[in-house]
Amino acid sequence: MISANDRSKSAFCLAIGLLSLGLVCSCKTTTAPDPRQDLVNSLKGANVEGFLFATNEDEAQVVVSLTNSAVRTLIKLDNAATNLVLRYASVREKNTNTTRTYKTEVTKAGTALTLLVTDIATGEVVSRKTFPALETPHTDTPALPTFDSLEDCIKDFNCTRRGALECEANRTCEDQFAALTCCLKNGQCFSVHMIIRPTSLRCRLIGFLPDLEGLVLSQ
């Protein structure tokens, strides 16, 4: 016959066992945060195949981003294309603990290009910057130089014009835009659109725009 004392001990041991089992189960079901998946879930089904994941943090913000891998080379926009997504970014402000998610894209209407940043949740346009129009040579000016390749044309731009634009970008902490016509020795001509980003550490990066080699349109 089991005494009341033995029954109390058994009940106590059973309770301890159930509590321990509950703690073990709780530990097993806890999963680590997945910032990439959280960002993907907020994009309402957007296709991010081939996009590169990154996180960036400073004293004010935490930025989680997915960047189109095409930005690593010159992007040749198809004549029929109307837009190209460059980056999705989730930006959490530390002082308010609020998070907003943005889409950065280039939109095209004819030969006009615009850099557009949109709040995905609200549809609000946060930033709209239009690339400058190409300069058309006057009849009394020398003909445009020709190059062996697009890369050679851009190298010439980097040597002769980029420095002044980069200086202005660092002075204002704002991206600078440039447009140039690149004509090749084989007779082809292209519109090349450049974004010159600040390099100064004092220009805090919010994470909207990735470093971009350039955008190319056929003429």
Side-chain angles (χ1 to χ4, degrees):
M1 183 175 180
I2 300 174
S3 66
N5 187 44
D6 289 337
R7 285 196 297 271
S8 297
K9 288 181 179 180
S10 297
F12 177 77
C13 291
L14 178 60
I16 292 297
L18 291 174
L19 178 60
S20 300
L21 180 61
L23 290 174
V24 170
C25 293
S26 176
C27 291
K28 288 183 178 179
T29 56
T30 300
T31 57
D34 185 347
R36 184 188 188 282
Q37 190 58 48
D38 289 342
L39 176 56
V40 171
N41 291 343
S42 71
L43 300 182
K44 303 178 180 179
N47 182 10
V48 292
E49 183 178 354
F51 279 54
L52 306 177
F53 172 73
T55 61
N56 193 2
E57 182 175 0
D58 62 17
E59 68 281 356
Q61 297 173 321
V62 178
V63 178
V64 178
S65 63
L66 286 165
T67 301
N68 192 331
S69 58
V71 302
R72 295 179 295 182
T73 58
L74 282 173
I75 300 174
K76 294 185 178 181
L77 292 176
D78 186 271
N79 289 335
T82 57
N83 78 308
L84 176 70
V85 176
L86 301 177
R87 171 174 285 185
Y88 296 103
S90 172
V91 181
R92 179 171 67 85
E93 301 288 347
K94 290 183 177 180
N95 61 339
T96 60
N97 198 31
T98 57
T99 300
R100 297 177 72 181
T101 303
Y102 303 94
K103 175 175 68 173
T104 300
E105 62 185 322
V106 171
T107 63
K108 182 168 73 74
T111 59
L113 294 181
T114 301
L115 186 68
L116 201 63
V117 180
T118 307
D119 184 312
I120 289 179
T122 64
E124 174 192 358
V125 175
V126 176
S127 176
R128 184 196 304 270
K129 294 184 178 180
T130 300
F131 287 81
L134 290 169
E135 296 180 1
T136 304
H138 297 288
T139 56
D140 57 347
T141 59
L144 291 172
T146 57
F147 299 90
D148 291 325
S149 67
L150 275 173
E151 289 73 17
D152 287 342
C153 178
I154 292 170
K155 286 178 183 177
D156 180 76
F157 165 84
N158 289 338
C159 290
T160 59
R161 295 173 55 191
R162 188 183 186 95
L165 290 168
E166 192 169 278
C167 182
E168 182 66 9
N170 286 330
R171 185 185 71 81
T172 61
C173 283
E174 293 185 1
D175 298 325
Q176 302 297 305
F177 296 82
L180 56 149
T181 298
C182 287
C183 289
L184 307 186
K185 291 179 179 178
N186 63 9
Q188 287 183 296
C189 287
F190 300 90
S191 306
V192 180
H193 300 264
M194 312 289 290
I195 302 173
I196 314 302
R197 313 213 59 213
T199 58
S200 172
L201 292 177
R202 73 181 181 85
C203 301
R204 182 161 56 89
L205 174 66
I206 195 171
F208 290 152
L209 184 64
D211 291 329
L212 187 65
E213 186 71 19
L215 299 161
V216 179
L217 297 177
S218 297
Q219 288 190 354

